[in-house]
Structures are given as C-alpha cells and as structure tokens.
Amino acid sequence: MAREIPNLEATVRTGTGKGAARQARREGQVPGIVYGGGADPLAINIPFNELFKKLKAGRFLSTLWNLKVDGQEDVRVICRNVQRDVVKDLPTHLDLMRLRRTSRISLFIHVDFENEEEAPGLKRGGVLTIVRPEVELNVLAGDIPEKIVVDLTGKDVGDVIHISDVDLPEGAKTTVDRDFVIANISAPSSLRSSDDGDAGEEAVEEEVAAEE
C-alpha cells in the first residue's frame, strides 16, 4: 500500500528576480523555484507560516511532497535546498525538484511492529526496545510504501531484530550498507539478575553503540 503523500500548496509568482522575491517576503510569502522533470522552471510563492510549520516538523528535505499550484497539474517534488536568513535563521527561498514516478528517492519510512501477543519474550514481561522507529529506504517515487512491518511472532528475550530480518517492499533498498539493528527484546527486571540475561543485554548494547 502506497503512503499518502502530503500536500505542499503554492501560488505562481508573477515576476522574477530579487525585486519580486523581496515583494513576496513583504507579503508573508517565501519565494521558490520548481525545476526538472522535463518542464520549464516555475517561480512560486509559499505562505511563510505554512512552510515554517512544515520545517519545524522535521525532515522537510527528505519528504516527498505533492505540490499543488493553482492552474497547474499536481506534481511530486522534493526540496533540494532551503535558503535561510543568516541572522534570524528563517526561510527566505527554496528549490523544489520535480520527480517522475520512475525516479528513485531516499525517504524515511515508518516501522510498524505486529503480533506482539505472539512474542514469548513479551508475554514473560520482556521489553521491546525500538532502536529505529523509521528506516531510510531508497524507493521509486511512484511506489512509496506506507510502512515496513516487523513480525514479532516467536521473538524471545534477548532476540535482536536486524534489517535483514525484515521483508522490504518490492523495489526498496536500505541506504545504509550494513545489517543494522531495528529493535530488541530485553529481559524484564525480574530476570536481569541472571548472568545470561546480563550478557545478552551487554551484547545488544554493544551492537547498538556500534550503530551510533
């Protein structure tokens, strides 16, 4: 199932150059340019408040956006650069690149954990420690997965879940070239006095530290 792509709304900017850009900022807009995709560049304005809110939410540059401009067809874009005021650190201009559905792009995809009730380690009071709630994947712009799923069936205390244990969506691949840890099941406090439990936790801690 493809992930819903968030909208980024803009208007066409009349005029180009520094004068038009300054006028846009005075009117509470952030000027930008849309390029690529086999079409002519398009000068746009985005409401400052809306853009600022999206920037504060995080990962603006690694999010695929559905750009909506009055009088234009919707197009998928990714932000390649946000210029900021050197003193106030507020956005003053942005560059958006159009993407074809066959373009490949790296995005952070949510990790969903399922079948917790089928995990013996959790039934015994173990704790699921999530190391990576999101994983960066390289995917097709036209086929972005909503999530990747980790099946916890049969997982016991001390088990460590690596990316190799997960079935990735077709066509997707990780951007990190190593078998990194996604999560582990640690022992409940009542079992941590055992030597085996301590050793297992130390191994997990060492592996997680190696990832950082």
Side-chain angles (χ1 to χ4, degrees):
M1 180 178 177
R3 183 175 62 174
E4 183 177 353
I5 300 173
N7 290 330
L8 183 63
E9 297 188 1
T11 56
V12 175
R13 174 160 42 100
T14 56
T16 56
K18 294 182 178 179
R22 282 196 295 267
Q23 179 64 30
R25 296 184 190 105
R26 285 195 293 267
E27 296 174 353
Q29 305 286 324
V30 178
I33 190 76
V34 187
Y35 65 93
D40 292 335
L42 177 67
I44 60 169
N45 286 332
I46 296 178
F48 174 86
N49 291 338
E50 289 301 314
L51 177 60
F52 187 67
K53 186 188 305 180
K54 287 178 169 58
L55 288 170
K56 284 191 67 175
R59 289 187 173 152
F60 185 84
L61 271 68
S62 60
T63 298
L64 183 68
W65 300 96
N66 179 50
L67 181 66
K68 301 180 74 68
V69 181
D70 287 342
Q72 305 279 331
E73 290 187 3
D74 290 5
V75 62
R76 294 182 178 187
V77 299
I78 189 168
C79 183
R80 283 309 189 198
N81 184 48
V82 177
Q83 297 177 25
R84 296 175 180 269
D85 183 277
V86 294
V87 177
K88 299 179 180 179
D89 195 35
L90 298 176
T92 59
H93 189 276
L94 73 163
D95 299 330
L96 301 174
M97 186 176 73
R98 300 183 187 95
L99 292 173
R100 296 185 175 92
R101 294 182 65 84
T102 55
S103 300
R104 296 198 69 89
I105 184 175
S106 294
L107 297 172
F108 284 90
I109 306 299
H110 174 70
V111 179
D112 194 22
F113 295 86
E114 295 185 351
N115 297 323
E116 293 187 19
E117 68 281 0
E118 300 299 327
L122 297 181
K123 286 183 177 180
R124 294 167 54 201
V127 177
L128 176 64
T129 301
I130 300 174
V131 179
R132 291 180 184 250
E134 294 180 312
V135 172
E136 189 176 29
L137 297 180
N138 185 267
V139 298
L140 288 172
D143 193 21
I144 299 174
E146 181 180 11
K147 61 186 178 182
I148 62 175
V149 177
V150 175
D151 187 356
L152 296 175
T153 300
K155 299 299 181 183
D156 211 338
V157 170
D159 283 351
V160 180
I161 303 166
H162 294 81
I163 188 63
S164 61
D165 300 319
V166 180
D167 291 329
L168 295 179
E170 186 176 356
K173 56 185 179 181
T174 61
T175 60
V176 178
D177 190 22
R178 63 177 182 273
D179 193 16
F180 53 83
V181 174
I182 293 180
N184 65 77
I185 298 181
S186 58
S189 56
S190 60
L191 298 179
R192 288 178 183 171
S193 58
S194 68
D195 292 341
D196 291 343
D198 291 342
E201 283 191 31
E202 288 175 3
V204 169
E205 289 173 358
E206 289 175 1
E207 188 162 4
V208 172
E211 296 291 331
E212 297 175 347

